[in-house]
Every structure is written in structure tokens, then in C-alpha cells.
Amino acid sequence: GEDVEQSLFLSVREGDSSVINCTYTDSSSTYLYWYKQEPGAGLQLLTYIFSNMDMKQDQRLTVLLNKKDKHLSLRIADTQTGDSAIYFCAEANDYKLSFGAGTTVTVRA
Amino acid sequence: SAVISQKPSRDICQRGTSLTIQCQVDSQVTMMFWYRQQPGQSLTLIATANQGSEATYESGFVIDKFPISRPNLTFSTLTVSNMSPEDSSIYLCSVKIRVSRELFFGEGSRLTVL
């Protein structure tokens, strides 16, 4: 999605926190989503945030939203080897999703 | 949550043929969508599947190439017509279930066109 941008790669040590950043352009987006895709698999919904919220926490996941700057981040605490995957952020308009290119997260021992 | 079944999970097809992909959901669904993920790339929305009426296509996608049906709330099909190698992709259906903001995806149908 040309309207949603993410960094392409992130390498993190096991046990550290991962932070994946995303910027979007559509100010009318109502919800923003994070998905995880493991090799050969479909998309797993991790979490979503309403565009009027600043933060949402769900177990090891924390989403921060700066609506003024149109910046979204996903923090994964205590990153594990099973967190190695591609992470997509997406903005929604009428529940139609525009995706970023995906961030490949590699967890090293 | 929702259980989304897509069939086939993968297929290898010859150039010029057509393939129909099915998406079945076990929950009350309000909206259904079809996406394409080309090799090594992100996902692009093809169309919104509308129950009992023609699908709504995004720019760059047309009904003749990607006819879509949705005869009831929980079932939809996407056909990839007159295939060429450029159609080799993963095709995924996505649903919004009633009383939820969550958007779930099926496992995808991986299509290879020779």
C-alpha cells in the first residue's frame, strides 16, 4: 500500500522488546490493524486500535497511535523466537484495508 | 473470532484456464472481501463481495477477470479467469463478523499458473 509505510526489516535479540513503526496518510481511517504472517500461512489478526485512541495494550502487545503525526507503532515485549514473522499494519476505511509492505522481524538467540 | 475455510488451499493451473476459490465462514458475517498477495509483496484489495448483488471492485480489478459471487451471508467465491503467470498469487478472503470491529482472514489459496 502506497498510503501506508513500514520499515522492511527488524532484527531483535530474544527477550528484548521489538518496536515496529508505521505511518499512514488517510486521516479518515477509522481503525488501524496489526497482522502477523508466518511463512506459508495466512494473516493472523494481532490487535486493532480505534483512531481516537492513543494506546491499547493486550498482553505482550502495546499499540501506540499518534493521530496528529499519523504514526502507529507495535511493541512486542519479551520477544520470542515464535515472534519471527512478517508484521503488517493496515488502515481501514469502511473496513476496506490498505496494507503496508510488511516488516520482517527476525529474532536472534 | 471466526473460522474461515478457503478451498483450494493451493493449486497449479495452466495458462488460459479459470479457477474458482471458495470461502466459507462459520459465523454471522456482515462484510466479505477478497485480497491478492503477489509473491513477496503486501496485500491488495480486489473487491467487496456483496450479498445477492454485484461485487464492488477496486481500481485495477474488473468483473470479467475476477467474477465474485456471494449467494448468502457466509459464503463467497472468487474466480480467476483466463489465467496467466502474472496471476500467480495468494488469494485471501477476509470477513467482518457481526458486532465486532475485527477483520479476519482465511488461510489463503496459493495459485501457481504455468
Side-chain angles (χ1 to χ4, degrees), chain A residues 1 31 33 35 37 40-43 45 48 88 94-97 99-101, chain B residues 31 33 35 37 42-43 45 48 58 96 101-107 110:
Chain A
Y31 293 91
Y33 296 79
Y35 289 90
Q37 187 176 39
L43 265 69
L45 174 64
Y48 68 96
F88 291 97
D94 288 337
Y95 296 103
K96 296 188 290 185
L97 295 171
F99 284 85
Chain B
M31 304 179 82
F33 306 92
Y35 287 81
Q37 186 178 25
S42 186
L43 286 82
L45 178 62
T48 304
E58 298 299 307
K96 177 190 176 304
R101 310 299 183 193
E102 295 167 307
L103 292 164
F104 298 104
F105 280 81
E107 287 295 306
R110 186 180 297 267

PDB file of all heavy atoms in Angstrom, chain A residues 1 31 33 35 37 40-43 45 48 88 94-97 99-101, chain B residues 31 33 35 37 42-43 45 48 58 96 101-107 110:
ATOM      1  N   GLY A   1       0.791  -1.191   0.000  1.00  0.00           N
ATOM      2  CA  GLY A   1       0.000   0.000   0.000  1.00  0.00           C
ATOM      3  C   GLY A   1       0.825   1.242   0.000  1.00  0.00           C
ATOM      4  O   GLY A   1       1.625   1.499   0.902  1.00  0.00           O
ATOM      5  N   TYR A  31     -10.152   2.712  11.860  1.00  0.00           N
ATOM      6  CA  TYR A  31      -9.430   1.740  12.662  1.00  0.00           C
ATOM      7  C   TYR A  31      -8.100   1.423  11.997  1.00  0.00           C
ATOM      8  O   TYR A  31      -7.967   1.500  10.771  1.00  0.00           O
ATOM      9  CB  TYR A  31     -10.241   0.435  12.806  1.00  0.00           C
ATOM     10  CG  TYR A  31     -11.498   0.611  13.613  1.00  0.00           C
ATOM     11  CD1 TYR A  31     -12.703   0.938  12.997  1.00  0.00           C
ATOM     12  CD2 TYR A  31     -11.481   0.468  14.994  1.00  0.00           C
ATOM     13  CE1 TYR A  31     -13.853   1.121  13.739  1.00  0.00           C
ATOM     14  CE2 TYR A  31     -12.629   0.647  15.736  1.00  0.00           C
ATOM     15  CZ  TYR A  31     -13.803   0.982  15.102  1.00  0.00           C
ATOM     16  OH  TYR A  31     -14.936   1.167  15.853  1.00  0.00           O
ATOM     17  N   TYR A  33      -4.975  -1.607  12.099  1.00  0.00           N
ATOM     18  CA  TYR A  33      -4.817  -3.019  12.446  1.00  0.00           C
ATOM     19  C   TYR A  33      -3.361  -3.454  12.332  1.00  0.00           C
ATOM     20  O   TYR A  33      -2.597  -2.923  11.523  1.00  0.00           O
ATOM     21  CB  TYR A  33      -5.651  -3.890  11.485  1.00  0.00           C
ATOM     22  CG  TYR A  33      -7.145  -3.672  11.579  1.00  0.00           C
ATOM     23  CD1 TYR A  33      -7.751  -2.579  10.967  1.00  0.00           C
ATOM     24  CD2 TYR A  33      -7.956  -4.568  12.275  1.00  0.00           C
ATOM     25  CE1 TYR A  33      -9.120  -2.374  11.055  1.00  0.00           C
ATOM     26  CE2 TYR A  33      -9.324  -4.383  12.355  1.00  0.00           C
ATOM     27  CZ  TYR A  33      -9.897  -3.286  11.748  1.00  0.00           C
ATOM     28  OH  TYR A  33     -11.256  -3.093  11.843  1.00  0.00           O
ATOM     29  N   TYR A  35      -1.327  -7.182  11.771  1.00  0.00           N
ATOM     30  CA  TYR A  35      -1.425  -8.599  11.442  1.00  0.00           C
ATOM     31  C   TYR A  35      -0.035  -9.219  11.441  1.00  0.00           C
ATOM     32  O   TYR A  35       0.967  -8.554  11.175  1.00  0.00           O
ATOM     33  CB  TYR A  35      -2.045  -8.796  10.044  1.00  0.00           C
ATOM     34  CG  TYR A  35      -3.505  -8.465   9.978  1.00  0.00           C
ATOM     35  CD1 TYR A  35      -3.941  -7.176   9.672  1.00  0.00           C
ATOM     36  CD2 TYR A  35      -4.473  -9.440  10.214  1.00  0.00           C
ATOM     37  CE1 TYR A  35      -5.297  -6.868   9.618  1.00  0.00           C
ATOM     38  CE2 TYR A  35      -5.824  -9.143  10.146  1.00  0.00           C
ATOM     39  CZ  TYR A  35      -6.224  -7.856   9.857  1.00  0.00           C
ATOM     40  OH  TYR A  35      -7.554  -7.560   9.798  1.00  0.00           O
ATOM     41  N   GLN A  37       2.102 -12.566   9.786  1.00  0.00           N
ATOM     42  CA  GLN A  37       2.082 -13.626   8.778  1.00  0.00           C
ATOM     43  C   GLN A  37       3.348 -14.450   8.902  1.00  0.00           C
ATOM     44  O   GLN A  37       4.450 -13.950   8.699  1.00  0.00           O
ATOM     45  CB  GLN A  37       1.956 -13.051   7.362  1.00  0.00           C
ATOM     46  CG  GLN A  37       1.763 -14.130   6.294  1.00  0.00           C
ATOM     47  CD  GLN A  37       1.547 -13.559   4.912  1.00  0.00           C
ATOM     48  OE1 GLN A  37       2.169 -12.581   4.524  1.00  0.00           O
ATOM     49  NE2 GLN A  37       0.656 -14.177   4.141  1.00  0.00           N
ATOM     50  N   GLY A  40       4.233 -19.252   4.689  1.00  0.00           N
ATOM     51  CA  GLY A  40       3.254 -20.190   4.162  1.00  0.00           C
ATOM     52  C   GLY A  40       1.890 -20.125   4.810  1.00  0.00           C
ATOM     53  O   GLY A  40       1.029 -20.967   4.509  1.00  0.00           O
ATOM     54  N   ALA A  41       1.664 -19.159   5.661  1.00  0.00           N
ATOM     55  CA  ALA A  41       0.393 -19.089   6.388  1.00  0.00           C
ATOM     56  C   ALA A  41      -0.401 -17.852   5.985  1.00  0.00           C
ATOM     57  O   ALA A  41       0.105 -16.965   5.291  1.00  0.00           O
ATOM     58  CB  ALA A  41       0.650 -19.079   7.897  1.00  0.00           C
ATOM     59  N   GLY A  42      -1.648 -17.814   6.448  1.00  0.00           N
ATOM     60  CA  GLY A  42      -2.477 -16.641   6.212  1.00  0.00           C
ATOM     61  C   GLY A  42      -2.145 -15.541   7.200  1.00  0.00           C
ATOM     62  O   GLY A  42      -1.105 -15.562   7.855  1.00  0.00           O
ATOM     63  N   LEU A  43      -3.050 -14.568   7.311  1.00  0.00           N
ATOM     64  CA  LEU A  43      -2.828 -13.443   8.214  1.00  0.00           C
ATOM     65  C   LEU A  43      -3.541 -13.671   9.534  1.00  0.00           C
ATOM     66  O   LEU A  43      -4.736 -13.978   9.563  1.00  0.00           O
ATOM     67  CB  LEU A  43      -3.346 -12.148   7.583  1.00  0.00           C
ATOM     68  CG  LEU A  43      -2.315 -11.316   6.849  1.00  0.00           C
ATOM     69  CD1 LEU A  43      -1.865 -12.027   5.599  1.00  0.00           C
ATOM     70  CD2 LEU A  43      -2.861  -9.948   6.516  1.00  0.00           C
ATOM     71  N   LEU A  45      -4.797 -11.880  12.882  1.00  0.00           N
ATOM     72  CA  LEU A  45      -5.071 -10.585  13.491  1.00  0.00           C
ATOM     73  C   LEU A  45      -4.445 -10.535  14.880  1.00  0.00           C
ATOM     74  O   LEU A  45      -4.724 -11.385  15.728  1.00  0.00           O
ATOM     75  CB  LEU A  45      -6.580 -10.348  13.598  1.00  0.00           C
ATOM     76  CG  LEU A  45      -7.011  -9.084  14.342  1.00  0.00           C
ATOM     77  CD1 LEU A  45      -6.543  -7.832  13.616  1.00  0.00           C
ATOM     78  CD2 LEU A  45      -8.519  -9.070  14.524  1.00  0.00           C
ATOM     79  N   TYR A  48      -6.113  -4.318  17.071  1.00  0.00           N
ATOM     80  CA  TYR A  48      -6.509  -3.152  16.293  1.00  0.00           C
ATOM     81  C   TYR A  48      -6.758  -2.017  17.277  1.00  0.00           C
ATOM     82  O   TYR A  48      -6.933  -2.241  18.475  1.00  0.00           O
ATOM     83  CB  TYR A  48      -7.749  -3.435  15.450  1.00  0.00           C
ATOM     84  CG  TYR A  48      -9.012  -3.632  16.263  1.00  0.00           C
ATOM     85  CD1 TYR A  48      -9.900  -2.577  16.477  1.00  0.00           C
ATOM     86  CD2 TYR A  48      -9.312  -4.875  16.820  1.00  0.00           C
ATOM     87  CE1 TYR A  48     -11.047  -2.757  17.221  1.00  0.00           C
ATOM     88  CE2 TYR A  48     -10.461  -5.050  17.568  1.00  0.00           C
ATOM     89  CZ  TYR A  48     -11.329  -3.998  17.769  1.00  0.00           C
ATOM     90  OH  TYR A  48     -12.464  -4.186  18.510  1.00  0.00           O
ATOM     91  N   PHE A  88       2.293  -6.788   9.385  1.00  0.00           N
ATOM     92  CA  PHE A  88       1.673  -5.792   8.513  1.00  0.00           C
ATOM     93  C   PHE A  88       0.822  -4.833   9.342  1.00  0.00           C
ATOM     94  O   PHE A  88       0.030  -5.278  10.180  1.00  0.00           O
ATOM     95  CB  PHE A  88       0.744  -6.463   7.496  1.00  0.00           C
ATOM     96  CG  PHE A  88       1.444  -7.292   6.461  1.00  0.00           C
ATOM     97  CD1 PHE A  88       1.558  -8.662   6.610  1.00  0.00           C
ATOM     98  CD2 PHE A  88       1.963  -6.699   5.316  1.00  0.00           C
ATOM     99  CE1 PHE A  88       2.192  -9.432   5.655  1.00  0.00           C
ATOM    100  CE2 PHE A  88       2.594  -7.459   4.344  1.00  0.00           C
ATOM    101  CZ  PHE A  88       2.706  -8.836   4.521  1.00  0.00           C
ATOM    102  N   ASP A  94     -14.166   2.122   5.893  1.00  0.00           N
ATOM    103  CA  ASP A  94     -15.316   1.232   5.652  1.00  0.00           C
ATOM    104  C   ASP A  94     -14.889  -0.228   5.692  1.00  0.00           C
ATOM    105  O   ASP A  94     -15.394  -1.053   4.926  1.00  0.00           O
ATOM    106  CB  ASP A  94     -15.962   1.523   4.287  1.00  0.00           C
ATOM    107  CG  ASP A  94     -16.718   2.831   4.296  1.00  0.00           C
ATOM    108  OD1 ASP A  94     -17.122   3.277   5.383  1.00  0.00           O
ATOM    109  OD2 ASP A  94     -16.897   3.403   3.205  1.00  0.00           O
ATOM    110  N   TYR A  95     -13.933  -0.538   6.540  1.00  0.00           N
ATOM    111  CA  TYR A  95     -13.424  -1.889   6.759  1.00  0.00           C
ATOM    112  C   TYR A  95     -12.666  -2.433   5.560  1.00  0.00           C
ATOM    113  O   TYR A  95     -12.319  -3.617   5.522  1.00  0.00           O
ATOM    114  CB  TYR A  95     -14.533  -2.843   7.186  1.00  0.00           C
ATOM    115  CG  TYR A  95     -15.109  -2.434   8.518  1.00  0.00           C
ATOM    116  CD1 TYR A  95     -16.335  -1.786   8.593  1.00  0.00           C
ATOM    117  CD2 TYR A  95     -14.406  -2.663   9.693  1.00  0.00           C
ATOM    118  CE1 TYR A  95     -16.847  -1.376   9.819  1.00  0.00           C
ATOM    119  CE2 TYR A  95     -14.906  -2.253  10.921  1.00  0.00           C
ATOM    120  CZ  TYR A  95     -16.125  -1.609  10.968  1.00  0.00           C
ATOM    121  OH  TYR A  95     -16.630  -1.204  12.175  1.00  0.00           O
ATOM    122  N   LYS A  96     -12.375  -1.575   4.591  1.00  0.00           N
ATOM    123  CA  LYS A  96     -11.503  -1.975   3.488  1.00  0.00           C
ATOM    124  C   LYS A  96     -10.080  -1.598   3.890  1.00  0.00           C
ATOM    125  O   LYS A  96      -9.811  -0.459   4.246  1.00  0.00           O
ATOM    126  CB  LYS A  96     -11.909  -1.267   2.194  1.00  0.00           C
ATOM    127  CG  LYS A  96     -13.306  -1.658   1.734  1.00  0.00           C
ATOM    128  CD  LYS A  96     -13.641  -1.112   0.363  1.00  0.00           C
ATOM    129  CE  LYS A  96     -13.818   0.367   0.351  1.00  0.00           C
ATOM    130  NZ  LYS A  96     -14.264   0.861  -0.967  1.00  0.00           N
ATOM    131  N   LEU A  97      -9.184  -2.571   3.826  1.00  0.00           N
ATOM    132  CA  LEU A  97      -7.841  -2.385   4.359  1.00  0.00           C
ATOM    133  C   LEU A  97      -6.834  -1.988   3.287  1.00  0.00           C
ATOM    134  O   LEU A  97      -6.807  -2.567   2.201  1.00  0.00           O
ATOM    135  CB  LEU A  97      -7.365  -3.686   5.026  1.00  0.00           C
ATOM    136  CG  LEU A  97      -8.155  -4.127   6.266  1.00  0.00           C
ATOM    137  CD1 LEU A  97      -7.732  -5.528   6.691  1.00  0.00           C
ATOM    138  CD2 LEU A  97      -7.975  -3.149   7.402  1.00  0.00           C
ATOM    139  N   PHE A  99      -2.763  -1.919   3.148  1.00  0.00           N
ATOM    140  CA  PHE A  99      -1.662  -2.500   3.898  1.00  0.00           C
ATOM    141  C   PHE A  99      -0.338  -1.807   3.614  1.00  0.00           C
ATOM    142  O   PHE A  99      -0.087  -1.332   2.500  1.00  0.00           O
ATOM    143  CB  PHE A  99      -1.499  -3.983   3.522  1.00  0.00           C
ATOM    144  CG  PHE A  99      -2.519  -4.882   4.132  1.00  0.00           C
ATOM    145  CD1 PHE A  99      -3.749  -5.075   3.531  1.00  0.00           C
ATOM    146  CD2 PHE A  99      -2.249  -5.552   5.319  1.00  0.00           C
ATOM    147  CE1 PHE A  99      -4.701  -5.899   4.091  1.00  0.00           C
ATOM    148  CE2 PHE A  99      -3.190  -6.391   5.877  1.00  0.00           C
ATOM    149  CZ  PHE A  99      -4.417  -6.564   5.270  1.00  0.00           C
ATOM    150  N   GLY A 100       0.523  -1.826   4.643  1.00  0.00           N
ATOM    151  CA  GLY A 100       1.912  -1.503   4.418  1.00  0.00           C
ATOM    152  C   GLY A 100       2.618  -2.688   3.777  1.00  0.00           C
ATOM    153  O   GLY A 100       2.030  -3.758   3.592  1.00  0.00           O
ATOM    154  N   ALA A 101       3.902  -2.483   3.458  1.00  0.00           N
ATOM    155  CA  ALA A 101       4.667  -3.510   2.759  1.00  0.00           C
ATOM    156  C   ALA A 101       5.041  -4.677   3.664  1.00  0.00           C
ATOM    157  O   ALA A 101       5.425  -5.742   3.183  1.00  0.00           O
ATOM    158  CB  ALA A 101       5.924  -2.912   2.154  1.00  0.00           C
TER     159      ALA A 101
ATOM    160  N   MET B  31     -19.582  -8.353   6.397  1.00  0.00           N
ATOM    161  CA  MET B  31     -18.856  -7.940   5.203  1.00  0.00           C
ATOM    162  C   MET B  31     -17.846  -9.012   4.817  1.00  0.00           C
ATOM    163  O   MET B  31     -17.242  -9.645   5.685  1.00  0.00           O
ATOM    164  CB  MET B  31     -18.130  -6.605   5.442  1.00  0.00           C
ATOM    165  CG  MET B  31     -19.054  -5.479   5.897  1.00  0.00           C
ATOM    166  SD  MET B  31     -18.209  -3.929   6.197  1.00  0.00           S
ATOM    167  CE  MET B  31     -18.093  -3.286   4.536  1.00  0.00           C
ATOM    168  N   PHE B  33     -14.562  -9.699   1.889  1.00  0.00           N
ATOM    169  CA  PHE B  33     -13.647  -9.062   0.952  1.00  0.00           C
ATOM    170  C   PHE B  33     -12.711 -10.108   0.361  1.00  0.00           C
ATOM    171  O   PHE B  33     -12.443 -11.135   0.971  1.00  0.00           O
ATOM    172  CB  PHE B  33     -12.788  -8.007   1.653  1.00  0.00           C
ATOM    173  CG  PHE B  33     -13.563  -6.960   2.414  1.00  0.00           C
ATOM    174  CD1 PHE B  33     -13.849  -7.143   3.764  1.00  0.00           C
ATOM    175  CD2 PHE B  33     -13.991  -5.806   1.799  1.00  0.00           C
ATOM    176  CE1 PHE B  33     -14.554  -6.188   4.481  1.00  0.00           C
ATOM    177  CE2 PHE B  33     -14.695  -4.840   2.505  1.00  0.00           C
ATOM    178  CZ  PHE B  33     -14.975  -5.031   3.843  1.00  0.00           C
ATOM    179  N   TYR B  35      -8.741 -10.366  -1.262  1.00  0.00           N
ATOM    180  CA  TYR B  35      -7.450  -9.700  -1.409  1.00  0.00           C
ATOM    181  C   TYR B  35      -6.526 -10.584  -2.230  1.00  0.00           C
ATOM    182  O   TYR B  35      -6.679 -11.807  -2.274  1.00  0.00           O
ATOM    183  CB  TYR B  35      -6.808  -9.464  -0.034  1.00  0.00           C
ATOM    184  CG  TYR B  35      -7.464  -8.381   0.781  1.00  0.00           C
ATOM    185  CD1 TYR B  35      -8.625  -8.636   1.515  1.00  0.00           C
ATOM    186  CD2 TYR B  35      -6.944  -7.093   0.822  1.00  0.00           C
ATOM    187  CE1 TYR B  35      -9.232  -7.646   2.267  1.00  0.00           C
ATOM    188  CE2 TYR B  35      -7.538  -6.089   1.578  1.00  0.00           C
ATOM    189  CZ  TYR B  35      -8.677  -6.380   2.290  1.00  0.00           C
ATOM    190  OH  TYR B  35      -9.276  -5.400   3.037  1.00  0.00           O
ATOM    191  N   GLN B  37      -2.287 -11.314  -2.746  1.00  0.00           N
ATOM    192  CA  GLN B  37      -0.926 -11.090  -2.272  1.00  0.00           C
ATOM    193  C   GLN B  37       0.025 -11.695  -3.292  1.00  0.00           C
ATOM    194  O   GLN B  37       0.190 -12.918  -3.361  1.00  0.00           O
ATOM    195  CB  GLN B  37      -0.699 -11.705  -0.885  1.00  0.00           C
ATOM    196  CG  GLN B  37       0.664 -11.370  -0.303  1.00  0.00           C
ATOM    197  CD  GLN B  37       0.870 -11.925   1.093  1.00  0.00           C
ATOM    198  OE1 GLN B  37       0.257 -12.902   1.495  1.00  0.00           O
ATOM    199  NE2 GLN B  37       1.744 -11.283   1.859  1.00  0.00           N
ATOM    200  N   SER B  42       2.875  -7.157  -0.440  1.00  0.00           N
ATOM    201  CA  SER B  42       1.809  -6.941   0.524  1.00  0.00           C
ATOM    202  C   SER B  42       0.458  -7.332  -0.101  1.00  0.00           C
ATOM    203  O   SER B  42       0.408  -7.863  -1.203  1.00  0.00           O
ATOM    204  CB  SER B  42       1.808  -5.473   0.936  1.00  0.00           C
ATOM    205  OG  SER B  42       0.877  -5.262   1.962  1.00  0.00           O
ATOM    206  N   LEU B  43      -0.594  -7.055   0.624  1.00  0.00           N
ATOM    207  CA  LEU B  43      -1.933  -7.419   0.162  1.00  0.00           C
ATOM    208  C   LEU B  43      -2.611  -6.231  -0.498  1.00  0.00           C
ATOM    209  O   LEU B  43      -2.475  -5.091  -0.035  1.00  0.00           O
ATOM    210  CB  LEU B  43      -2.802  -7.879   1.335  1.00  0.00           C
ATOM    211  CG  LEU B  43      -2.493  -9.253   1.904  1.00  0.00           C
ATOM    212  CD1 LEU B  43      -1.348  -9.206   2.878  1.00  0.00           C
ATOM    213  CD2 LEU B  43      -3.739  -9.824   2.591  1.00  0.00           C
ATOM    214  N   LEU B  45      -6.496  -5.059  -2.019  1.00  0.00           N
ATOM    215  CA  LEU B  45      -7.920  -5.373  -2.055  1.00  0.00           C
ATOM    216  C   LEU B  45      -8.390  -5.499  -3.501  1.00  0.00           C
ATOM    217  O   LEU B  45      -8.157  -4.593  -4.311  1.00  0.00           O
ATOM    218  CB  LEU B  45      -8.710  -4.272  -1.344  1.00  0.00           C
ATOM    219  CG  LEU B  45     -10.223  -4.407  -1.333  1.00  0.00           C
ATOM    220  CD1 LEU B  45     -10.666  -5.673  -0.591  1.00  0.00           C
ATOM    221  CD2 LEU B  45     -10.873  -3.177  -0.716  1.00  0.00           C
ATOM    222  N   THR B  48     -15.082  -5.950  -2.755  1.00  0.00           N
ATOM    223  CA  THR B  48     -16.013  -6.250  -1.674  1.00  0.00           C
ATOM    224  C   THR B  48     -17.091  -7.152  -2.242  1.00  0.00           C
ATOM    225  O   THR B  48     -17.721  -6.816  -3.265  1.00  0.00           O
ATOM    226  CB  THR B  48     -16.655  -4.963  -1.132  1.00  0.00           C
ATOM    227  OG1 THR B  48     -15.633  -4.063  -0.715  1.00  0.00           O
ATOM    228  CG2 THR B  48     -17.595  -5.270   0.032  1.00  0.00           C
ATOM    229  N   GLU B  58     -12.203  -2.704  -6.793  1.00  0.00           N
ATOM    230  CA  GLU B  58     -11.243  -1.616  -6.613  1.00  0.00           C
ATOM    231  C   GLU B  58     -10.593  -1.286  -7.959  1.00  0.00           C
ATOM    232  O   GLU B  58     -10.663  -2.075  -8.917  1.00  0.00           O
ATOM    233  CB  GLU B  58     -10.178  -2.023  -5.594  1.00  0.00           C
ATOM    234  CG  GLU B  58     -10.747  -2.298  -4.218  1.00  0.00           C
ATOM    235  CD  GLU B  58     -11.433  -1.085  -3.603  1.00  0.00           C
ATOM    236  OE1 GLU B  58     -10.798  -0.012  -3.538  1.00  0.00           O
ATOM    237  OE2 GLU B  58     -12.605  -1.226  -3.175  1.00  0.00           O
ATOM    238  N   LYS B  96     -15.675  -9.451   8.170  1.00  0.00           N
ATOM    239  CA  LYS B  96     -16.027  -8.737   9.387  1.00  0.00           C
ATOM    240  C   LYS B  96     -17.272  -9.434   9.934  1.00  0.00           C
ATOM    241  O   LYS B  96     -18.269  -9.570   9.232  1.00  0.00           O
ATOM    242  CB  LYS B  96     -16.329  -7.272   9.090  1.00  0.00           C
ATOM    243  CG  LYS B  96     -16.781  -6.498  10.339  1.00  0.00           C
ATOM    244  CD  LYS B  96     -17.288  -5.136   9.972  1.00  0.00           C
ATOM    245  CE  LYS B  96     -17.843  -4.380  11.174  1.00  0.00           C
ATOM    246  NZ  LYS B  96     -18.901  -5.102  11.895  1.00  0.00           N
ATOM    247  N   ARG B 101     -15.340  -5.193  15.486  1.00  0.00           N
ATOM    248  CA  ARG B 101     -14.532  -4.372  14.572  1.00  0.00           C
ATOM    249  C   ARG B 101     -13.399  -5.187  13.972  1.00  0.00           C
ATOM    250  O   ARG B 101     -12.624  -4.685  13.180  1.00  0.00           O
ATOM    251  CB  ARG B 101     -13.926  -3.178  15.325  1.00  0.00           C
ATOM    252  CG  ARG B 101     -14.915  -2.380  16.136  1.00  0.00           C
ATOM    253  CD  ARG B 101     -16.003  -1.786  15.294  1.00  0.00           C
ATOM    254  NE  ARG B 101     -16.909  -0.973  16.089  1.00  0.00           N
ATOM    255  CZ  ARG B 101     -18.082  -0.543  15.652  1.00  0.00           C
ATOM    256  NH1 ARG B 101     -18.489  -0.851  14.448  1.00  0.00           N
ATOM    257  NH2 ARG B 101     -18.835   0.209  16.428  1.00  0.00           N
ATOM    258  N   GLU B 102     -13.324  -6.460  14.360  1.00  0.00           N
ATOM    259  CA  GLU B 102     -12.199  -7.268  13.917  1.00  0.00           C
ATOM    260  C   GLU B 102     -12.402  -7.729  12.482  1.00  0.00           C
ATOM    261  O   GLU B 102     -13.525  -8.009  12.055  1.00  0.00           O
ATOM    262  CB  GLU B 102     -12.045  -8.476  14.845  1.00  0.00           C
ATOM    263  CG  GLU B 102     -11.670  -8.073  16.267  1.00  0.00           C
ATOM    264  CD  GLU B 102     -11.821  -9.210  17.256  1.00  0.00           C
ATOM    265  OE1 GLU B 102     -12.920  -9.795  17.299  1.00  0.00           O
ATOM    266  OE2 GLU B 102     -10.854  -9.503  17.966  1.00  0.00           O
ATOM    267  N   LEU B 103     -11.300  -7.808  11.765  1.00  0.00           N
ATOM    268  CA  LEU B 103     -11.300  -8.290  10.392  1.00  0.00           C
ATOM    269  C   LEU B 103     -10.401  -9.522  10.336  1.00  0.00           C
ATOM    270  O   LEU B 103      -9.202  -9.435  10.594  1.00  0.00           O
ATOM    271  CB  LEU B 103     -10.776  -7.204   9.439  1.00  0.00           C
ATOM    272  CG  LEU B 103     -11.693  -5.995   9.284  1.00  0.00           C
ATOM    273  CD1 LEU B 103     -10.950  -4.830   8.663  1.00  0.00           C
ATOM    274  CD2 LEU B 103     -12.907  -6.354   8.431  1.00  0.00           C
ATOM    275  N   PHE B 104     -11.003 -10.649  10.004  1.00  0.00           N
ATOM    276  CA  PHE B 104     -10.278 -11.915   9.999  1.00  0.00           C
ATOM    277  C   PHE B 104      -9.999 -12.354   8.571  1.00  0.00           C
ATOM    278  O   PHE B 104     -10.767 -12.059   7.652  1.00  0.00           O
ATOM    279  CB  PHE B 104     -11.093 -12.997  10.709  1.00  0.00           C
ATOM    280  CG  PHE B 104     -11.342 -12.690  12.161  1.00  0.00           C
ATOM    281  CD1 PHE B 104     -12.588 -12.236  12.569  1.00  0.00           C
ATOM    282  CD2 PHE B 104     -10.345 -12.857  13.102  1.00  0.00           C
ATOM    283  CE1 PHE B 104     -12.833 -11.951  13.904  1.00  0.00           C
ATOM    284  CE2 PHE B 104     -10.578 -12.575  14.438  1.00  0.00           C
ATOM    285  CZ  PHE B 104     -11.823 -12.117  14.847  1.00  0.00           C
ATOM    286  N   PHE B 105      -8.914 -13.129   8.431  1.00  0.00           N
ATOM    287  CA  PHE B 105      -8.525 -13.646   7.122  1.00  0.00           C
ATOM    288  C   PHE B 105      -8.540 -15.161   7.112  1.00  0.00           C
ATOM    289  O   PHE B 105      -8.229 -15.809   8.129  1.00  0.00           O
ATOM    290  CB  PHE B 105      -7.106 -13.166   6.768  1.00  0.00           C
ATOM    291  CG  PHE B 105      -7.066 -11.761   6.257  1.00  0.00           C
ATOM    292  CD1 PHE B 105      -7.090 -10.692   7.139  1.00  0.00           C
ATOM    293  CD2 PHE B 105      -7.018 -11.499   4.894  1.00  0.00           C
ATOM    294  CE1 PHE B 105      -7.067  -9.383   6.674  1.00  0.00           C
ATOM    295  CE2 PHE B 105      -7.004 -10.194   4.419  1.00  0.00           C
ATOM    296  CZ  PHE B 105      -7.027  -9.143   5.314  1.00  0.00           C
ATOM    297  N   GLY B 106      -8.871 -15.700   5.937  1.00  0.00           N
ATOM    298  CA  GLY B 106      -8.688 -17.116   5.720  1.00  0.00           C
ATOM    299  C   GLY B 106      -7.213 -17.429   5.535  1.00  0.00           C
ATOM    300  O   GLY B 106      -6.368 -16.530   5.460  1.00  0.00           O
ATOM    301  N   GLU B 107      -6.906 -18.723   5.411  1.00  0.00           N
ATOM    302  CA  GLU B 107      -5.521 -19.160   5.258  1.00  0.00           C
ATOM    303  C   GLU B 107      -4.959 -18.851   3.872  1.00  0.00           C
ATOM    304  O   GLU B 107      -3.763 -18.940   3.658  1.00  0.00           O
ATOM    305  CB  GLU B 107      -5.410 -20.661   5.534  1.00  0.00           C
ATOM    306  CG  GLU B 107      -5.542 -21.007   7.004  1.00  0.00           C
ATOM    307  CD  GLU B 107      -4.394 -20.440   7.814  1.00  0.00           C
ATOM    308  OE1 GLU B 107      -3.226 -20.694   7.473  1.00  0.00           O
ATOM    309  OE2 GLU B 107      -4.668 -19.718   8.806  1.00  0.00           O
ATOM    310  N   ARG B 110      -3.178 -20.517  -2.524  1.00  0.00           N
ATOM    311  CA  ARG B 110      -1.928 -20.217  -3.236  1.00  0.00           C
ATOM    312  C   ARG B 110      -2.035 -20.759  -4.657  1.00  0.00           C
ATOM    313  O   ARG B 110      -2.119 -21.973  -4.860  1.00  0.00           O
ATOM    314  CB  ARG B 110      -0.746 -20.839  -2.502  1.00  0.00           C
ATOM    315  CG  ARG B 110       0.612 -20.480  -3.070  1.00  0.00           C
ATOM    316  CD  ARG B 110       1.711 -21.159  -2.266  1.00  0.00           C
ATOM    317  NE  ARG B 110       1.739 -20.695  -0.888  1.00  0.00           N
ATOM    318  CZ  ARG B 110       2.497 -19.704  -0.450  1.00  0.00           C
ATOM    319  NH1 ARG B 110       3.284 -19.060  -1.278  1.00  0.00           N
ATOM    320  NH2 ARG B 110       2.471 -19.362   0.824  1.00  0.00           N
TER     321      ARG B 110
END
